[in-house]
């Protein structure tokens, strides 16, 4: 299977695919000309072909940096919440195993390579620019830090892989959304869950927390009906985003869970989670990266609010969410 490499160089939105690929090839060639060791490593990986990357991975990463003073290339496979791969020492020629995981809360990659702990944020992985990636280790009693560069990201084009999708994620159509305990209409405003889908931040869904029913320290919120093979991310407007006063006076979420409601098990509810983590205390849109084994064949998505993840409003204890968007592949 051919690997389609997307070089992480800055790209213009109006450029054609052919132009972007030509730009990527030119930038790669320039880097290879300036760095013989990188050129040799890329040739070695190209010759390795499918052995370098796992066809079943969601995506692959290539990093260049140094560990303990040795120049290395990391070839990584990211699949669900697991990271595997190899560390290729350009000085000695030795190769060692790399392991790691993807955080369910914010999508951060934590990688263990030759005793160094390397951390990549979602922005490091997804942005079309170079990023220095810090690593640290307490080996030998002291912390050592350094930089890595994200050189190449590859998307897996294996059509047989359920986790590998073709094309960019699209805004998904929500067919229905339901909740039974909304705040009653008042002052000409309604607080139905459909307000989260109208594209208008001046409307919001709301539930009065003093009357809400909590189950095992969680408030189980609205359920969205969608048709989705896989989610990419969720865009959320926290609180009542109508204006600054409305935002401050009403309650907001500080932590939130989105789960695949068709994949919930009494023994292991966490396995159904698509996102679990902190949300910012701002009415501005924020993007939540979706992870986990439950991210497939989704028909219903439920919002869940941990009782310790609620921020009380200055005047009213009404939890509000203004907008929710689901992005993925139908």
């Amino acid at each position: 299977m051919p690997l389609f490499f997307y070089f992480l160089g800055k790209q213009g939105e109006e450029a054609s695919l052919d132009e972007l690929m030509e730009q990527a090839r030119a930038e790669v060639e320039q880097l290879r000309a300036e760095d013989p060791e990188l050129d040799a490593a890329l040739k070695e990986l190209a010759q390795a072909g499918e052995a370098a990357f796992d066809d079943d991975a969601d995506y692959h990463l290539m990093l260049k940096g140094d560990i303990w003073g040795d120049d290395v290339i990391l070839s990584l496979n990211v699949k669900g919440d697991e990271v595997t791969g190899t560390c290729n020492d350009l000085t000695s020629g030795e190769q060692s195993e790399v392991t790691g995981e993807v955080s369910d809360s914010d999508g951060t990659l934590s990688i263990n390579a030759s005793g160094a702990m390397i951390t990549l944020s979602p922005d490091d992985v997804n942005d079309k620019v170079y990023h220095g990636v810090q690593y640290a280790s307490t080996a030998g009693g002291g912390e050592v830090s350094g930089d890595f560069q994200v050189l190449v990201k590859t998307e897996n084009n294996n059509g047989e892989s359920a986790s590998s999708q073709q094309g960019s994620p699209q805004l998904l159509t929500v067919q229905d959304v339901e909740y039974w305990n909304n705040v009653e209409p008042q002052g000409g405003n309604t607080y139905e869950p459909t307000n989260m889908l109208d594209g208008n931040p001046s409307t919001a869904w709301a539930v009065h927390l003093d009357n809400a029913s909590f189950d095992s320290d969680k408030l189980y919120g609205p359920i969205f009906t969608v048709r989705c093979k896989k989610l990419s991310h969720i865009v959320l407007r926290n609180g009542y985003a109508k204006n600054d006063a409305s935002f401050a006076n009403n309650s907001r979420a500080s932590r939130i869970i989105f789960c695949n409601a068709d994949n919930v098990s009494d023994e292991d509810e966490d396995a159904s989670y698509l996102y679990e983590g902190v949300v910012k205390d701002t009415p501005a849109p924020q993007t939540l990266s979706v992870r986990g084994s439950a991210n497939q064949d989704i028909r219903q998505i439920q919002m869940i609010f941990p009782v310790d993840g609620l921020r009380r409003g200055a005047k009213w204890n009404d939890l509000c969410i203004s907008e929710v968007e689901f992005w993925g592949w139908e």
Side-chain angles (χ1 to χ4, degrees):
M1 179 200 72
L3 295 173
F4 294 87
F5 283 78
Y6 295 91
F7 184 72
L8 302 190
K10 204 163 189 177
Q11 300 172 347
E13 294 181 357
E14 301 303 323
S16 69
L17 177 60
D18 288 342
E19 290 171 333
L20 292 179
M21 293 302 294
E22 184 59 36
Q23 176 186 344
R25 282 191 288 269
E27 291 177 340
V28 169
E29 289 305 316
Q30 180 179 349
L31 273 183
R32 295 177 72 162
E34 294 172 352
D35 190 337
E37 290 180 340
L38 173 61
D39 179 56
L42 289 174
K43 287 179 179 178
E44 181 178 345
L45 286 173
Q47 292 170 354
E50 293 184 2
F53 293 118
D54 180 358
D55 284 351
D56 291 330
D58 296 329
Y59 61 91
H60 316 109
L61 291 171
M62 187 185 298
L63 308 181
K64 181 178 185 293
D66 71 90
I67 298 179
W68 318 128
D70 295 330
D71 291 332
V72 299
I73 292 283
L74 303 183
S75 302
L76 307 177
N77 305 295
V78 183
K79 182 180 181 181
D81 59 359
E82 295 184 355
V83 181
T84 59
T86 59
C87 175
N88 303 280
D89 191 318
L90 300 180
T91 303
S92 67
E94 296 180 353
Q95 186 178 87
S96 58
E97 182 182 4
V98 174
T99 59
E101 61 183 12
V102 181
S103 168
D104 288 336
S105 61
D106 60 6
T108 295
L109 276 65
S110 300
I111 303 162
N112 186 343
S114 297
M117 295 304 299
I118 304 165
T119 302
L120 291 82
S121 76
D123 286 342
D124 293 324
V125 174
N126 294 323
D127 282 0
K128 300 294 190 288
V129 293
Y130 284 115
H131 283 273
V133 182
Q134 293 294 318
Y135 76 85
S137 174
T138 55
E143 183 175 287
V144 180
S145 62
D147 289 323
F148 272 78
Q149 279 187 320
V150 179
L151 292 178
V152 177
K153 178 182 179 182
T154 75
E155 299 290 351
N156 190 344
N157 280 346
N158 183 355
E160 298 178 357
S161 173
S163 62
S164 179
Q165 304 297 329
Q166 298 293 328
S168 300
Q170 303 296 317
L171 175 62
L172 300 175
T173 299
V174 177
Q175 300 169 358
D176 191 22
V177 57
E178 296 180 346
Y179 191 69
W180 63 277
N181 193 22
N182 315 300
V183 170
E184 292 294 325
Q186 51 187 301
N189 297 312
T190 65
Y191 301 97
E192 299 294 320
T194 51
N195 288 345
M196 293 184 287
L197 307 174
D198 62 5
N200 181 4
S202 295
T203 66
W205 165 73
V207 56
H208 188 57
L209 292 177
D210 292 338
N211 297 334
S213 298
F214 287 84
D215 183 359
S216 301
D217 295 327
K218 296 184 181 73
L219 171 64
Y220 288 82
I223 296 177
F224 303 83
T225 300
V226 298
R227 183 176 297 276
C228 175
K229 292 180 179 178
K230 182 180 178 183
L231 282 178
S232 167
H233 59 278
I234 300 166
V235 179
L236 177 80
R237 277 185 181 265
N238 196 10
Y240 196 176
K242 185 175 184 178
N243 52 51
D244 290 345
S246 297
F247 183 80
N249 288 334
N250 288 279
S251 299
R252 292 91 66 192
S254 60
R255 293 180 58 237
I256 198 169
I257 297 166
F258 285 88
C259 79
N260 183 342
D262 290 331
N263 197 26
V264 177
S265 166
D266 292 336
E267 292 77 20
D268 187 12
E269 181 181 276
D270 292 5
S272 70
Y273 290 175
L274 302 166
Y275 177 85
E276 177 189 17
V278 174
V279 290
K280 300 175 184 177
D281 191 30
T282 173
Q286 50 190 296
T287 300
L288 313 177
S289 298
V290 173
R291 303 285 179 185
S293 59
N295 187 17
Q296 56 183 329
D297 298 326
I298 301 167
R299 295 296 177 265
Q300 290 189 315
I301 302 170
Q302 184 165 27
M303 300 172 70
I304 305 173
F305 303 91
V307 68
D308 60 354
L310 301 171
R311 184 176 284 109
R312 188 182 180 96
K315 286 189 176 181
W316 301 292
N317 198 21
D318 296 334
L319 171 64
C320 299
I321 300 293
S322 290
E323 293 293 316
V324 175
E325 294 179 353
F326 299 103
W327 289 76
W329 297 268
E330 293 184 343

